Amino acid sequence: MTKIPTEWAPDSTLALWSEGYRFISERCDAHGSDLFQARLLLEPTICMRGAAAARLFYDQSRFVRSGAAPNRIQNTLFGHGGVQGLDGGEHRRRKAMFLSRMAPADLQRLVDIAAGQWRDALPRWQAAGRIQLLAAVREVLARAVCTWAMVPLP
C-alpha cells in the first residue's frame, strides 16, 4: 500500500481558513495525489478529492455524520440539526428536500431574485456614501435566499 502524503505543517487550520476551497486541491496538486493527511484543529485529518473520494465519502456503511463535526464547527458553519449531521433515512429525506429546489428553473429564479436584491441595494449604498461591505453583502444574499425559499423577513 502506498504511503499517504503528509503536510509538513504541524497544523493547517489557518491555511484552510485563509485558502478556503482551494486548500485541498492545491495541496493534492503539490503532493501529486488525490489525498493527503494534515492536522486540522490539531486533529489528524485525511483530505481527499475526486470521484473515488466522493463515492467513499457517501458510502453510509463507512461514515457516520451524527456527532462527527465538533461543536465549534456546528456553531459556526453547519448549525445544529443540519443535514450534515444526520444519518440514514433522516439524512436522505432532508437532502432530497434541498435537492428538490435545485432544478435549473429554481436556480434561475434564485439568480433573478439575487440580481434584483443587488439592484435594490445599490442606491442605498450610494446614498450612504460608505458601507461595511461584508454586512451589506450578507444582507443582500440573505434576503435573496429567504425570498427564494419563501421565508418571510421583516
Side-chain angles (χ1 to χ4, degrees), residues 111-132:
V111 167
D112 295 343
I113 291 168
Q117 290 292 332
W118 283 103
R119 281 190 299 274
D120 293 347
L122 287 175
R124 290 193 311 272
W125 295 350
Q126 289 170 331
R130 188 176 175 126
I131 63 165
Q132 192 173 38

Side-chain angles (χ1 to χ4, degrees), residues 90-148:
E90 194 175 8
H91 173 79
R92 285 189 298 280
R93 283 187 295 280
R94 181 80 62 87
K95 182 177 176 182
M97 179 185 72
F98 287 117
L99 290 177
S100 73
R101 298 299 310 261
M102 298 294 135
D106 290 315
L107 296 177
Q108 185 58 53
R109 182 172 167 266
L110 174 58
V111 167
D112 295 343
I113 291 168
Q117 290 292 332
W118 283 103
R119 281 190 299 274
D120 293 347
L122 287 175
R124 290 193 311 272
W125 295 350
Q126 289 170 331
R130 188 176 175 126
I131 63 165
Q132 192 173 38
L133 185 61
L134 180 59
V137 170
R138 185 182 296 141
E139 181 180 343
V140 165
L141 296 177
R143 289 190 174 283
V145 169
C146 287
T147 301
W148 175 72

Side-chain angles (χ1 to χ4, degrees), residues 39-55:
R39 290 179 68 82
L40 298 176
L41 298 172
L42 299 176
E43 294 289 331
T45 305
I46 301 294
C47 301
M48 54 188 171
R49 69 174 179 187
R55 281 191 300 276

Side-chain angles (χ1 to χ4, degrees), residues 5-7 9 12 23 27 36-40 43-47:
T6 302
E7 276 296 280
S12 297
F23 174 80
R27 278 162 179 75
F36 64 94
Q37 182 171 325
R39 290 179 68 82
L40 298 176
E43 294 289 331
T45 305
I46 301 294
C47 301

Side-chain angles (χ1 to χ4, degrees), residues 48 51-60 62-65 84:
M48 54 188 171
R55 281 191 300 276
L56 176 68
F57 185 74
Y58 284 103
D59 181 346
Q60 293 187 23
R62 295 178 181 267
F63 292 94
V64 176
R65 291 179 186 86
Q84 301 89 343

